[in-house]
Amino acid sequence: MKGSELAQIQKLVPQWKVVNEHHITRAFTFPDFKEALAFVNRVGEVAEKQGHHPDIMLAWGKVEITMWTHKIDGLTQSDFIMAAKIDQLV
């Protein structure tokens, strides 16, 4: 996905940032490490069910998720579907 098609689908998950028309990323904040870790575990469960695995960075009170479709080295609808599912976990 690129150009106007990418801009349109990105509106469905406005808190996610499109980077170089290649991947999407979002940072989530939590009051402590325990809640951030619990969120990461919930994301992991969804990722396994979807067969779509984002890069996840976990720190105290913060989780950063980066996603793209590795097979094509770019963005597809699947990335945005997964982003929407992750948003529902917060």
Side-chain angles (χ1 to χ4, degrees), residues 63-81:
V63 175
E64 288 183 19
I65 299 179
T66 303
M67 196 162 21
W68 71 95
T69 300
H70 294 255
K71 187 175 182 178
I72 66 158
D73 196 27
L75 290 165
T76 67
Q77 268 190 329
S78 295
D79 299 300
F80 292 91
I81 291 168

Side-chain angles (χ1 to χ4, degrees), residues 8-88:
Q8 283 300 109
I9 198 165
Q10 194 272 331
K11 290 178 184 178
L12 300 175
V13 287
Q15 294 179 321
W16 289 78
K17 179 182 175 187
V18 176
V19 180
N20 298 327
E21 294 190 332
H22 177 267
H23 56 278
I24 55 176
T25 188
R26 181 174 174 194
F28 298 84
T29 56
F30 300 91
D32 55 35
F33 185 83
K34 184 178 180 179
E35 288 192 40
L37 179 59
F39 174 71
V40 166
N41 288 329
R42 290 191 305 272
V43 170
E45 289 175 16
V46 172
E48 279 297 300
K49 287 179 186 173
Q50 295 299 304
H52 198 66
H53 303 93
D55 292 347
I56 302 172
M57 192 281 299
L58 169 64
W60 192 97
K62 183 178 179 180
V63 175
E64 288 183 19
I65 299 179
T66 303
M67 196 162 21
W68 71 95
T69 300
H70 294 255
K71 187 175 182 178
I72 66 158
D73 196 27
L75 290 165
T76 67
Q77 268 190 329
S78 295
D79 299 300
F80 292 91
I81 291 168
M82 185 67 182
K85 288 183 180 202
I86 290 170
D87 285 349
Q88 293 176 351

